[in-house]
Amino acid sequence: LVMVFYGSNGKSNLVSMENKVEHQAKNQITQDIHISPDLGMLYKVRLGLRSLEKGTSQLFLCHLKMQNTSTLDTFSLTINKTLPLSLNGDRWVEFPVEWPLKEALSVVTYHLTVFSSNILSERNLVHMTACIYGAHGDTGDRSLLWSLQNVQQGEDNESFLVTVEAVELGELDKVVLLISSKTDCKLDVKKLHLKEALKEHPTYVFEVNEAFSVEANKPEIQKEIPVSFVVRGDKQKNDLDHNLHREGGEAGNLTEYTIKVFTGDKRGSGTDANVHIILFGSEDKSEVFQLSQSLEHQNPFERGKVDTFKVKTKTLGSLQSIEIGHDGKGF
């Protein structure tokens, strides 16, 4: 069992609970840990298993209590989680530290979508983790291939969604990938999309576009990927144009789609919520578009009305499906 402490001035090294037990009662361990005052005010703790080697047993964490022995300020938290979260799964759990008179951060779920061409076919032989960095620290190395959702597979492209639970990171900065394999292989990673699960925006896009040659039993490959651009609601066109400019492209390379939404005529069919759409094609997936600027009506999605929207995005190939939804706000 190891811990990492985050303070206003940085983070600690791994603090091991091994061979340092000051007092041990039934199902309870008490230990004195000396943390450098250079860390500043503690705001987050990550707690987990040092590794997931073969034979690692599961550990059920019930409760954590910390006390500053100088000020006697006390922080107590009920955890009730088992590590790792599943077989070969996430080995970390983290939480904000709440001190008296200090506002604490929140725990959020991040959705990380990985776009590739062959990771799914190699997933049983490959170990791949991501460490997400933001204004409030990092997530530590989180496994990407233990629990995949929303798997999309085409002839040349695939994508899958991974959930990461962490203390909110604030503005995101970069992702560091670590890749190793039991056999020689080549992994083609196209890009990563990252956002909070309960928010449509912002969506952080990390362009990778690299084929990694992984050799068996060799040191893992480390790749640092800075954020390429950010989609922020109504600003997504400006962000997309900025990204094209960075890559030397032109806005004329975009494909324009016309979207018509027919709102039902029954009572309660309309909505005042913020509606979004994502287009899925045979070659790629679009950004998240907010459908807010109707060509016909200032107030879209009224009962019995038709609203037209125009969006521009990169080449998607043949359209295969869409995701459409809203945030539940308003009537």
Side-chain angles (χ1 to χ4, degrees):
L1 183 65
V2 290
M3 305 176 77
V4 181
F5 297 87
Y6 288 75
S8 53
N9 298 328
K11 70 176 182 178
S12 73
N13 295 322
L14 282 179
V15 178
S16 175
M17 307 292 283
E18 186 179 9
N19 300 325
K20 292 184 180 179
V21 176
E22 305 291 343
H23 172 71
Q24 183 167 352
K26 184 179 180 181
N27 297 329
Q28 178 177 315
I29 293 176
T30 303
Q31 177 181 345
D32 283 341
I33 296 174
H34 300 279
I35 300 173
S36 169
D38 295 340
L39 284 182
M41 177 66 73
L42 293 184
Y43 69 89
K44 181 173 95 167
V45 175
R46 186 163 65 248
L47 193 153
L49 304 174
R50 182 183 292 277
S51 65
L52 288 181
E53 297 174 356
K54 189 174 182 180
T56 299
S57 59
Q58 288 191 315
L59 180 66
F60 182 67
L61 304 172
C62 301
H63 197 79
L64 177 85
K65 182 179 180 181
M66 295 197 307
Q67 185 177 56
N68 184 318
T69 55
S70 298
T71 65
L72 299 184
D73 286 342
T74 302
F75 167 67
S76 187
L77 177 75
T78 298
I79 302 175
N80 287 340
K81 288 189 176 180
T82 300
L83 291 178
L85 298 182
S86 72
L87 186 63
N88 297 324
D90 198 342
R91 60 190 174 100
W92 294 106
V93 60
E94 61 180 50
F95 40 84
V97 178
E98 300 178 44
W99 298 116
L101 305 180
K102 291 288 183 180
E103 185 176 356
L105 298 172
S106 301
V107 175
V108 300
T109 299
Y110 288 97
H111 277 177
L112 174 61
T113 304
V114 180
F115 296 84
S116 169
S117 63
N118 67 338
I119 289 180
L120 291 173
S121 60
E122 304 284 351
R123 61 176 295 194
N124 292 327
L125 299 172
V126 172
H127 182 60
M128 190 174 186
T129 67
C131 183
I132 307 165
Y133 289 80
H136 303 321
D138 60 78
T139 62
D141 297 335
R142 303 300 187 95
S143 175
L144 293 186
L145 300 177
W146 66 277
S147 178
L148 310 185
Q149 304 172 43
N150 290 7
V151 175
Q152 308 270 342
Q153 282 187 284
E155 287 186 14
D156 301 316
N157 291 280
E158 63 188 25
S159 66
F160 56 87
L161 176 70
V162 181
T163 59
V164 176
E165 192 172 278
V167 173
E168 59 182 301
L169 293 167
E171 192 77 10
L172 301 184
D173 175 42
K174 65 181 179 180
V175 172
V176 175
L177 292 179
L178 294 174
I179 307 170
S180 60
S181 176
K182 298 176 182 177
T183 183
D184 294 351
C185 65
K186 182 171 285 190
L187 292 183
D188 183 21
V189 183
K190 299 185 179 300
K191 61 181 177 178
L192 311 172
H193 282 188
L194 187 58
K195 72 179 190 71
E196 290 186 29
L198 296 180
K199 294 182 180 179
E200 291 305 327
H201 299 106
T203 298
Y204 295 81
V205 179
F206 301 83
E207 298 284 358
V208 185
N209 295 319
E210 187 169 336
F212 298 95
S213 296
V214 190
E215 297 183 43
N217 303 316
K218 291 292 180 69
E220 60 189 359
I221 295 174
Q222 178 172 315
K223 175 69 175 180
E224 181 176 307
I225 310 152
V227 64
S228 301
F229 65 102
V230 186
V231 180
R232 302 182 189 275
D234 292 337
K235 297 180 182 178
Q236 79 268 355
K237 184 179 184 299
N238 292 334
D239 289 318
L240 185 60
D241 288 347
H242 172 68
N243 178 65
L244 286 169
H245 177 71
R246 286 176 65 255
E247 296 179 343
E250 298 293 338
N253 293 336
L254 301 179
T255 302
E256 183 178 82
Y257 291 90
T258 300
I259 300 168
K260 285 186 178 290
V261 181
F262 297 74
T263 304
D265 197 35
K266 294 183 179 180
R267 184 173 182 273
S269 292
T271 185
D272 294 326
N274 298 306
V275 178
H276 76 271
I277 192 170
I278 305 173
L279 313 179
F280 296 84
S282 58
E283 297 179 14
D284 212 338
K285 166 187 171 184
S286 79
E287 326 67 315
V288 180
F289 292 106
Q290 290 280 22
L291 299 181
S292 55
Q293 303 295 323
S294 170
L295 299 183
E296 289 91 357
H297 308 105
Q298 186 173 358
N299 188 18
F301 311 115
E302 292 295 299
R303 172 181 172 182
K305 302 293 185 181
V306 179
D307 294 284
T308 305
F309 305 86
K310 290 187 179 294
V311 299
K312 289 183 179 180
T313 187
K314 59 203 162 185
T315 302
L316 303 178
S318 302
L319 287 185
Q320 295 180 331
S321 62
I322 65 168
E323 173 189 309
I324 189 164
H326 63 68
D327 58 4
K329 292 182 179 178
F331 177 68

